[in-house]
Amino acid sequence: MNSNDYELAGVVRKLMADVLDLRLSPEEIKDGMSLYSPTIQLDSLNLLQLLLAVEDEFGGHIDDEDVMEADLETVGDLIGLVSRHVRENRSEAGA
């Protein structure tokens, strides 16, 4: 991971802690944690809220198909989806 990836992952973790009202600091949210664990308890409504916060933070729109194809199981999966979204937006902006 380069420094931009670490920064992006940190922002995603902070958004998770804030939007999902977790009792964890962003630093305590690890890549391997299940999004559906008793700690995070992701459901469809708060996934939508989280994705809207990500779109506000990083710009653009994450397509529903991309979310479905991402097969989100862990925090790392979510960070990967956001990372791909940010890279695509940057490449489209530069095109």
Side-chain angles (χ1 to χ4, degrees), residues 26-37:
E27 296 79 23
E28 294 174 301
I29 302 171
K30 304 299 180 196
D31 284 356
M33 292 176 82
S34 171
L35 293 170
Y36 310 100
S37 68

Side-chain angles (χ1 to χ4, degrees), residues 51-62 85-86 89:
L51 291 174
L52 289 172
V54 164
E55 291 172 351
D56 284 346
E57 180 72 28
F58 296 105
H61 173 73
I62 300 175
H85 166 71
V86 169
N89 279 349

Side-chain angles (χ1 to χ4, degrees), residues 10 12-13 17-18 26 32 41 51 57 59 64 69 74 77 86 92:
V12 172
R13 288 184 178 97
D18 293 345
Q41 300 180 352
L51 291 174
E57 180 72 28
D64 292 343
E69 289 173 6
T74 66
D77 295 337
V86 169
E92 288 174 6

Side-chain angles (χ1 to χ4, degrees), residues 3 25 61 81:
S3 63
S25 70
H61 173 73
L81 171 67

